[in-house]
Amino acid sequence: MPFEPGEVVAPSDPRIVLEGQWGHQPGVAITVNSGSRLSFSFAGERVQLLFDTTGLTVAPHLWVKLDDGEPVLHVIEDSVVELTAPTGRHKVEVAVKDVREHVNRWNPPFECAVVFAGLVLDVNSRLRLSGRPDGPRLEFYGDSITQGVRALGPEIESEGADGTASYAYLTARAFGATSYQVGFGSQGIVKPGNGEVPSGLESFGWNFAGSPAERVEAPDVVVVNLAVNDETLTAEQYAEYVGRVRSAYPSTTVVALPPFNGKHADVIAAAVKTLDDPNVVLIDSTGWITEADCTDNIHPSVAGHRKIAEQLIPALAASTSLRLPSI
């Protein structure tokens, strides 16, 4: 039966919940970060998700989940993803599996990005108001590991990457948290990343070039897992980065999580000490994973990310205001 369009819903509609780092432009919401999410509920049978793929040379990968079904992979080469279900009430969850790290995803026009243009419901369907997330707010800033690069295997492109397998995604879900998962391959505190992304010092506070990362509420906790890509790093440079986080969020707990291979761990510990800020916490990640837990000796596998999350979750519960939901 042909789709008979009914209500058209813009990305800014309050019935659509956007989670993660999204920039807003007229008629669209844009994310360049794996692990970002959107969700909505509808009553009826059919709905179309709209995407603007104009100018993109590489298609982003999304997981789309309908009700309690398994997530289905969609490679967004076309502008419409149509979902069909038996008549009733339904919940749709979309998670960004990967936005490819090696092509421009920072300076518009992008080569790869998720440009969400809203929804079209068929004439017999209605969008319903969903509850807004009421858990804690978490932000993660990292590199390709936080992005989930090569979590699924050694492939260097999106086929091997999955932001929903990342330790950051797993940790946020464990706390029932609204999460901003910002990971850029090859980025460091002072080193630029792939895809025309500037250094951590220059990119913090931006969704992408020209789009400030504005927050309605400050996060409860910010986790920083940068520095493995920095060839050299000083305590002053790391402290400057944390200082920028502190300027943006005066009362937020900032967690310094050194690289999992121990690189620059002493420098990071020294930086935290010099800051003399009771709301800057150092969590030692030494020994959490080994090369055997990685797909290429550097990037954690799915199991490696789980091991990191299993260590990080109790460490955050012990050293911050975060508490695990009661069962």
Side-chain angles (χ1 to χ4, degrees):
M1 185 174 72
F3 187 93
E4 296 184 54
E7 183 181 11
V8 178
V9 184
S12 58
D13 191 288
R15 294 172 293 177
I16 300 174
V17 177
L18 298 176
E19 178 183 335
Q21 191 126 293
W22 293 85
H24 295 272
Q25 295 180 358
V28 295
I30 305 169
T31 186
V32 298
N33 291 120
S34 305
S36 295
R37 292 158 49 95
L38 68 90
S39 61
F40 59 91
S41 297
F42 74 98
E45 295 182 350
R46 303 169 76 183
V47 62
Q48 292 179 337
L49 288 79
L50 305 181
F51 298 92
D52 186 349
T53 59
T54 305
L56 300 184
T57 60
V58 176
H61 287 206
L62 304 182
W63 291 117
V64 180
K65 180 180 178 181
L66 178 62
D67 298 326
D68 294 324
E70 289 296 316
V72 176
L73 176 63
H74 288 265
V75 179
I76 308 302
E77 296 174 326
D78 299 317
S79 59
V80 177
V81 172
E82 184 171 322
L83 303 178
T84 303
T87 299
R89 295 183 176 183
H90 303 287
K91 175 71 177 291
V92 177
E93 297 178 344
V94 179
V96 180
K97 175 181 176 285
D98 191 59
V99 175
R100 189 174 296 182
E101 66 166 316
H102 290 105
V103 297
N104 171 32
R105 56 170 171 159
W106 187 260
N107 295 299
F110 307 106
E111 292 181 81
C112 190
V114 177
V115 185
F116 175 55
L119 307 172
V120 178
L121 290 92
D122 76 0
V123 292
N124 297 313
S125 297
R126 295 291 181 269
L127 200 62
R128 304 177 69 242
L129 186 63
S130 300
R132 308 298 295 184
D134 58 1
R137 303 175 69 83
L138 264 169
E139 294 190 6
F140 294 86
Y141 293 90
D143 44 48
S144 56
I145 293 175
T146 299
Q147 183 181 339
V149 168
R150 299 193 183 184
L152 304 182
E155 296 85 1
I156 63 172
E157 306 298 358
S158 293
E159 288 72 18
D162 190 347
T164 71
S166 166
Y167 76 92
Y169 193 92
L170 300 177
T171 299
R173 301 279 79 78
F175 284 106
T178 298
S179 173
Y180 295 77
Q181 182 177 329
V182 182
F184 292 114
S186 196
Q187 189 188 61
I189 295 290
V190 296
K191 181 183 180 298
N194 293 327
E196 300 187 16
V197 178
S199 69
L201 278 168
E202 295 173 313
S203 66
F204 178 78
W206 298 89
N207 300 312
F208 46 81
S211 176
E214 299 172 346
R215 303 284 189 261
V216 176
E217 297 178 53
D220 296 280
V221 175
V222 170
V223 178
V224 179
N225 184 231
L226 284 165
V228 73
N229 293 306
D230 290 304
E231 184 174 347
T232 61
L233 182 69
T234 67
E236 291 77 15
Q237 289 167 330
Y238 193 90
E240 182 182 355
Y241 183 90
V242 174
R244 295 194 182 187
V245 178
R246 172 61 68 236
S247 294
Y249 308 131
S251 60
T252 292
T253 299
V254 181
V255 174
L257 185 66
F260 303 113
N261 66 359
K263 188 173 182 180
H264 299 308
D266 291 344
V267 169
I268 293 170
V272 171
K273 187 175 181 179
T274 61
L275 286 165
D276 193 26
D277 182 338
N279 282 329
V280 176
V281 177
L282 177 69
I283 292 180
D284 184 5
S285 61
T286 302
W288 284 9
I289 59 170
T290 67
E291 290 183 356
D293 299 307
C294 301
T295 57
D296 59 358
N297 298 328
I298 298 172
H299 295 90
S301 63
V302 171
H305 278 287
R306 283 200 299 265
K307 287 182 70 173
I308 293 169
E310 287 167 359
Q311 296 281 348
L312 181 57
I313 291 165
L316 289 175
S319 58
T320 73
S321 62
L322 297 175
R323 296 294 177 264
L324 290 169
S326 300
I327 298 175

